[in-house]
Amino acid sequence: MSSSLLFNVTTFLFLISTILFFAYMASKNSSLGLGASLAAFIGWGVETLAIILRWKESYDMGHGHAPLSNLYESVVFFAWTIILIYGIIELKYKHRIIGAFVLPFALLGMAWAQLGLNSGIEPLVPALQSNWLLYHVITCFLGYAAFAVACAISIMYLIKARSEGENSTSQAGGMISMFPAIRVLDDLNYKSIMIGFPLLTLGIVTGAAWANYAWGTYWSWDPKETWSLIVWFVYAAFLHARITRGWVGKRAAWLSIIGFAATIFCYIGVNLFLSGLHSYGGGR
Amino acid sequence: MSTKKRTLTESLWDFFCSLKLSISLLIGLAVTSIIGTVIPQGNIPPEYLQTISEAKFRLYQSLSFFDMYHSWWFMLLLYLLTVNLVACSIKRLPHVWKMVTEPALVLDESLEKSLSLTYDFKASSSELDKLKGFLKAEIGEPVLSERDGVFHLFAQKNPWCRLGVYVVHLSVIVIFIGALIGSFFGYKAFVNIVEGTYIDTVFTAKDSPIKLDFGVHCEKFSVEYYKTGAPKEFKSILTILENGQPVKGFTRIPVIVNDPLTYKGITFYQSSYGQSGDGAVYHFNVALRIGGGSTNFNIKKGERVTLSGGATLELLESTQDVRQYMPEFSGPAAKVSLVMPGKSPESFIVFKNHPEIEEQRRGELVIQYAGADEKLYTGLQVAKDPGVWVVWFGCTLMVIGIGMAFFMSHQRTWIRLGNGRATLAGTANKNPAAFERKFEEMVEKLKTL
Ligand code: HEM
């Protein structure tokens, strides 16, 4: 069995889960919801195995390293962290329906990785040969995943708030009635960011520590660094906005969505559109 | 006049204490930071300059867009943030400090009204000790006070976590201080050392020399490759010299990417390498393909030698390890151009480790490459930053502070006991849902106490 087969199984299970979540939303049949969650969690388990297997495969090829070294591996890992954070929030707060908005993110990631990215296992260029890579990438991506979940929740918030505003009784309104109350969504948005913000902070700190260790400067205003700081500023603004009155609800939801858009730009856009030290795989 | 002045100071103070200012500054920093990720910073590549008009260039220059993170207006935003942070903390900290150090011990009517979690039950004053033990087990050591014949018990958990936010804010300032120390008392520089030589001067980005009070000797530089031809390791062997003598413990230290060498607060990082062109001599050997009779000869780069029989040979390129260009081969290789008398030049590659390749080439002469006593230089990044420990201290504070602020909750509970009745009341500053569950559990336990 190869890791790439398992990654395909994962992608398939995330697809099944997404479809079941939509069916659950349309039908309100709770066993569909249970099936959707199970498919997501089994997919996550399979993906865990796949990642471990890929790790082992890299050792078999003679240049063993953690599977976190290029765009393909990071996208796959991102999908894994998204389901992990979603799982924690579902188990803790029991609002399964959030999965309908989170799973598409994970599915999109896996599908892109499997169909569009080079999945070859390559040896590590000297710049990446450090344990700091592990700490840095893991903390950053867990943070990003929490922001992805917060963004999904914010989208639900905006949909729900709008439908309540219109006071509609259409079919869509029927689906939306399954969403948690907007007060709960607002709170969950905040809670997800409370998970993501400390992790992003740790990610930036470990990145700075690594840069200092490898290059002698903890901060060089490289585009990737700067964008991670931009993301950090946006969520810091979000946290402070909550303390002042009038910034809960819609505006908080928008800030969370903008924050996630900045996160995605930091992760992918910077590599595509801007140049710098971080262009994955290119080394320094 | 004086009252007017006071109101001005007051309104200035209010301005700097406002959270709206903080949010605007944070968003402002986020938005302006984008500029420097789109416009190149520092040394601007000439290709970029050709893509923008003269007027745009002058505009960018006047706004310091080419070095925006050190521009006066970006610094101003950072200083405003600092002032805002300090002002806000000065305004709020005393109140929070008081809440931590002088908690309300008595559950009076106004306090009770402000709390959403309360529970009334029957209890006689003889049960005081039992209730004390209960609070101690559930929350923490209770404080007893008596007012008008009524007993008040107060117990709390994690009061210090209220200071978490201020630890975070302090950490931001500590990090700024660390960065300032680094920029005033440290430097970033660069130096190339040719194998077998030493240096005692490094150069900053503006090419100004900095003299070290010790020397750095580079014994050897080497590159290792993966089978695929991708580089695996860049390694310099360095020795620190004091008065020309090697320093014990700093002799023949391998320095690779991600594993630097620090001496007297100055750190050397493996950064680049190259061939030190001057004076390298390349060794070749020539023989007739039929008849043999080999001769050794030396050549320098760019030089043309005439071989017996009138052929001329020129060395075009050479490498210490060909694997990076041709993964199927390894070892030193040279690209040469050979001109046989009356023929047009032909160029080909000869490999030190693969003489059979040359033997298979057609032509009258067999040229073999025997390697070079060519020297490499190692390029080292040099940094001195006495502020870096302050920065790490600030980062640690920040992580601890965020942990305190987000994941710990200041829980306060009171029990008022008198006139045959008791009231349990409680509140928490974070995670109200979790505290509500805990409060309900406490109520259940009280029922069976
Ligand atoms: C412009 C500068 C800033 C000012 C004036 C400011 C002010 C404040 C104030 C007044 C609070 C509320 C404290 C309370 O609840 O009593 C707060 C909370 C907080 N601040 Fe700041 N802050 C600033 C910058 C920052 C920055 C750069 C960070 C970066 C990590 C930060 C992190 C936090 C956190 C984590 C909280 C707690 C939020 C929560 O409990 O949800 N602050 N800040």
Side-chain angles (χ1 to χ4, degrees):
Chain A
M1 195 163 23
S2 74
S3 63
S4 71
L5 173 71
L6 289 182
F7 281 125
N8 279 329
V9 173
T10 305
T11 313
F12 183 68
L13 282 167
F14 287 173
L15 175 67
I16 297 285
S17 169
T18 306
I19 293 170
L20 285 176
F21 266 122
F22 283 133
Y24 170 46
M25 204 156 54
S27 70
K28 301 189 187 179
N29 178 337
S30 66
S31 49
L32 285 177
L34 183 66
S37 280
L38 279 181
F41 295 152
I42 293 171
W44 183 82
V46 172
E47 189 175 5
T48 311
L49 284 181
I51 290 174
I52 294 171
L53 200 58
R54 187 178 167 96
W55 202 331
K56 185 183 161 291
E57 282 164 7
S58 81
Y59 273 92
D60 295 344
M61 289 171 67
H63 42 246
H65 60 82
L68 298 170
S69 68
N70 60 23
L71 187 57
Y72 171 84
E73 290 173 345
S74 73
V75 172
V76 164
F77 184 65
F78 189 28
W80 185 85
T81 54
I82 289 176
I83 302 296
L84 176 68
I85 300 281
Y86 161 69
I88 291 171
I89 293 202
E90 190 201 303
L91 292 179
K92 202 157 171 215
Y93 301 108
K94 316 263 187 259
H95 295 292
R96 175 163 287 152
I97 190 74
I98 291 166
F101 286 78
V102 175
L103 254 289
F105 285 124
L107 176 62
L108 208 66
M110 285 310 291
W112 183 41
Q114 292 302 87
L115 301 176
L117 292 176
N118 174 12
S119 68
I121 299 182
E122 275 132 36
L124 279 186
V125 294
L128 297 182
Q129 292 165 11
S130 167
N131 277 339
W132 284 108
L133 173 68
L134 216 61
Y135 311 139
H136 176 53
V137 173
I138 288 177
T139 47
C140 281
F141 278 93
L142 284 171
Y144 293 176
F147 296 148
V149 173
C151 174
I153 292 169
S154 296
I155 293 171
M156 294 176 79
Y157 180 97
L158 291 176
I159 295 173
K160 179 114 181 168
R162 167 185 273 198
S163 85
E164 287 189 354
E166 285 168 2
N167 209 359
S168 71
T169 48
S170 65
Q171 180 146 27
M175 258 202 256
I176 291 161
S177 68
M178 291 193 63
F179 291 11
I182 58 168
R183 192 182 48 76
V184 174
L185 287 170
D186 185 54
D187 192 48
L188 284 176
N189 183 21
Y190 177 52
K191 290 216 161 85
S192 310
I193 288 171
M194 287 224 298
I195 298 173
F197 190 75
L199 286 165
L200 178 66
T201 307
L202 268 177
I204 294 175
V205 170
T206 51
W210 183 17
N212 187 60
Y213 184 61
W215 303 323
T217 25
Y218 52 83
W219 199 262
S220 47
W221 295 104
D222 148 81
K224 192 102 175 173
E225 280 173 356
T226 308
W227 270 95
S228 68
L229 191 68
I230 291 170
V231 171
W232 192 75
F233 281 144
V234 172
Y235 286 107
F238 173 95
L239 291 172
H240 289 89
R242 284 194 65 91
I243 305 167
T244 54
R245 256 165 301 147
W247 267 83
V248 285
K250 257 192 199 154
R251 285 206 244 181
W254 275 114
L255 213 46
S256 167
I257 292 171
I258 291 169
F260 185 61
T263 307
I264 287 297
F265 190 83
C266 174
Y267 172 29
I268 296 173
V270 170
N271 297 32
L272 293 183
F273 303 116
L274 310 171
S275 62
L277 304 173
H278 272 82
S279 23
Y280 255 123
R284 192 162 173 192
Chain B
M1 187 66 203
S2 81
T3 54
K4 197 170 174 200
K5 208 170 164 193
R6 226 182 87 77
T7 51
L8 181 69
T9 355
E10 255 177 15
S11 55
L12 205 62
W13 175 247
D14 285 345
F15 172 73
F16 277 115
C17 285
S18 91
L19 262 174
K20 285 224 175 72
L21 178 65
S22 332
I23 297 167
S24 316
L25 285 172
L26 288 168
I27 300 271
L29 282 166
V31 172
T32 52
S33 293
I34 297 175
I35 297 170
T37 68
V38 179
I39 296 176
Q41 300 288 297
N43 296 326
I44 313 156
E47 307 89 70
Y48 176 79
L49 287 181
Q50 280 161 16
T51 65
I52 61 170
S53 70
E54 179 73 26
K56 217 168 173 183
F57 175 76
R58 252 184 276 128
L59 178 71
Y60 286 1
Q61 190 119 42
S62 64
L63 294 172
S64 312
F65 277 3
F66 297 117
D67 192 18
M68 68 149 278
Y69 303 110
H70 305 100
S71 68
W72 64 268
W73 54 267
F74 195 75
M75 288 295 159
L76 181 69
L77 284 177
L78 290 177
Y79 284 125
L80 279 177
L81 187 85
T82 312
V83 173
N84 186 201
L85 205 58
V86 172
C88 243
S89 300
I90 290 176
K91 185 171 169 186
R92 295 175 189 233
L93 191 54
H95 170 72
V96 173
W97 186 257
K98 210 171 151 200
M99 176 168 294
V100 170
T101 55
E102 300 170 29
L105 298 175
V106 170
L107 181 64
D108 57 24
E109 212 168 309
S110 70
L111 179 59
E112 188 180 349
K113 274 210 188 102
S114 72
L115 303 172
S116 58
L117 297 174
T118 55
Y119 170 66
D120 231 8
F121 58 102
K122 250 204 230 134
S124 69
S125 0
S126 60
E127 287 176 282
L128 183 63
D129 280 343
K130 214 161 65 180
L131 290 173
K132 246 182 172 169
F134 170 76
L135 271 188
K136 185 177 175 185
E138 293 293 323
I139 303 288
E141 190 68 49
V143 182
L144 174 69
S145 40
E146 193 187 338
R147 185 185 280 183
D148 309 329
V150 177
F151 293 112
H152 296 264
L153 288 171
F154 169 72
Q156 63 177 349
K157 201 169 173 174
N158 301 334
W160 298 103
C161 79
R162 291 216 183 236
L163 297 176
V165 167
Y166 299 94
V167 174
V168 176
H169 291 159
L170 177 70
S171 75
V172 174
I173 293 168
V174 171
I175 291 171
F176 281 163
I177 292 173
L180 285 177
I181 292 175
S183 75
F184 284 126
F185 303 109
Y187 58 77
K188 308 277 177 253
F190 195 86
V191 66
N192 292 334
I193 315 178
V194 177
E195 286 178 305
T197 67
Y198 81 97
I199 55 89
D200 58 5
T201 308
V202 297
F203 299 89
T204 65
K206 294 189 184 84
D207 256 348
S208 48
I210 296 174
K211 184 112 171 42
L212 307 175
D213 56 2
F214 56 87
V216 185
H217 180 262
C218 172
E219 197 138 324
K220 186 161 176 43
F221 175 83
S222 60
V223 188
E224 248 187 83
Y225 296 92
Y226 290 110
K227 284 200 212 77
T228 60
K232 179 177 184 184
E233 185 178 87
F234 304 111
K235 180 159 75 181
S236 305
I237 307 286
L238 301 183
T239 296
I240 302 286
L241 305 173
E242 288 271 16
N243 306 318
Q245 294 304 310
V247 177
K248 227 173 133 236
F250 290 90
T251 304
R252 299 183 55 84
I253 305 293
V255 172
I256 60 174
V257 181
N258 274 311
D259 194 3
L261 169 67
T262 302
Y263 183 69
K264 285 192 172 169
I266 299 171
T267 308
F268 298 86
Y269 302 84
Q270 183 64 55
S271 169
S272 67
Y273 74 101
Q275 283 176 0
S276 155
D278 38 280
V281 178
Y282 302 81
H283 308 296
F284 287 87
N285 173 287
V286 59
L288 287 171
R289 196 168 296 278
I290 304 162
S294 83
T295 334
N296 294 333
F297 66 97
N298 294 335
I299 188 170
K300 289 183 175 172
K301 201 166 273 178
E303 200 179 63
R304 185 174 282 275
V305 293
T306 307
L307 307 172
S308 57
T312 61
L313 185 95
E314 186 185 2
L315 172 63
L316 301 175
E317 279 178 67
S318 70
T319 172
Q320 296 280 47
D321 198 327
V322 72
R323 174 161 275 165
Q324 53 188 316
Y325 311 106
M326 305 165 95
E328 65 275 29
F329 298 114
S330 68
K335 187 170 182 189
V336 294
S337 165
L338 178 68
V339 187
M340 299 302 288
K343 298 230 176 99
S344 51
E346 72 180 305
S347 62
F348 52 91
I349 298 170
V350 284
F351 303 89
K352 183 179 178 197
N353 295 359
H354 308 278
E356 70 282 359
I357 303 289
E358 175 61 10
E359 275 151 22
Q360 286 153 16
R361 192 178 63 88
R362 281 199 226 147
E364 278 171 54
L365 298 179
V366 181
I367 313 278
Q368 293 294 10
Y369 182 44
D373 44 18
E374 172 186 57
K375 291 211 170 95
L376 295 176
Y377 68 83
T378 179
L380 302 173
Q381 195 87 41
V382 185
K384 178 181 171 190
D385 190 346
V388 75
W389 292 107
V390 180
V391 172
W392 296 146
F393 175 66
C395 289
T396 313
L397 271 186
M398 179 175 285
V399 171
I400 293 172
I402 291 178
M404 282 163 71
F406 284 2
F407 303 118
M408 289 167 74
S409 148
H410 180 201
Q411 304 176 353
R412 293 179 294 162
T413 50
W414 295 262
I415 293 181
R416 186 181 53 216
L417 182 64
N419 309 325
R421 294 208 66 81
T423 304
L424 171 72
T427 180
N429 72 329
K430 283 271 150 160
N431 208 347
F435 185 69
E436 199 174 327
R437 277 196 298 279
K438 168 148 190 123
F439 191 83
E440 279 160 13
E441 270 171 37
M442 286 171 70
V443 168
E444 287 309 311
K445 284 185 191 160
L446 275 178
K447 283 180 184 159
T448 58
L449 202 69

